[in-house]
Amino acid sequence: MNIDIVSHGFDLTESIRFHVEHRLQRHLSRHWGTVGRVRVTLGDENGPRGGVDKYCRVAVEPRDGRTLRVQKFSANLYAAVSRSVEALSR
């Protein structure tokens, strides 16, 4: 499985990269064999103005050709990541 993580509006730190990879491994581990690619896009829409504007978009491409997409917003980027991956695992 290939995991791509990109960020818009801020630098991608090792801490957030680790959080994303850890959450994906924890929640999607039973599907590793069927998943070809995972693309995670992280962003901050309002920049320094704050608010519930941090987002995490996750697109999973299983080997059968379908694409599953989830997007969640939060005031905290780590929470947005957690909520997105949890929703995807359901």
Side-chain angles (χ1 to χ4, degrees):
M1 178 175 55
N2 184 15
I3 300 173
D4 296 322
I5 304 171
V6 296
S7 64
H8 296 278
F10 60 90
D11 292 331
L12 185 62
T13 65
E14 283 302 312
S15 176
I16 193 67
R17 179 181 296 279
F18 176 80
H19 183 72
V20 169
E21 290 173 352
H22 176 74
R23 290 307 232 169
L24 286 170
Q25 290 172 358
R26 181 175 177 203
H27 289 281
L28 300 180
S29 62
R30 66 180 177 215
H31 304 289
W32 281 131
T34 61
V35 175
R37 179 179 173 187
V38 177
R39 181 168 176 87
V40 179
T41 305
L42 307 170
D44 183 353
E45 289 190 343
N46 294 335
R49 291 183 288 172
V52 181
D53 67 331
K54 278 89 175 158
Y55 64 85
C56 176
R57 295 181 188 132
V58 182
V60 175
E61 298 173 6
R63 297 189 195 283
D64 66 4
R66 298 176 299 148
T67 300
L68 308 170
R69 291 184 176 90
V70 171
Q71 176 175 299
K72 296 292 180 181
F73 287 85
S74 180
N76 178 294
L77 186 58
Y78 290 88
V81 169
S82 296
R83 292 179 59 214
S84 293
V85 175
E86 288 167 7
L88 189 64
S89 70
R90 284 187 238 124

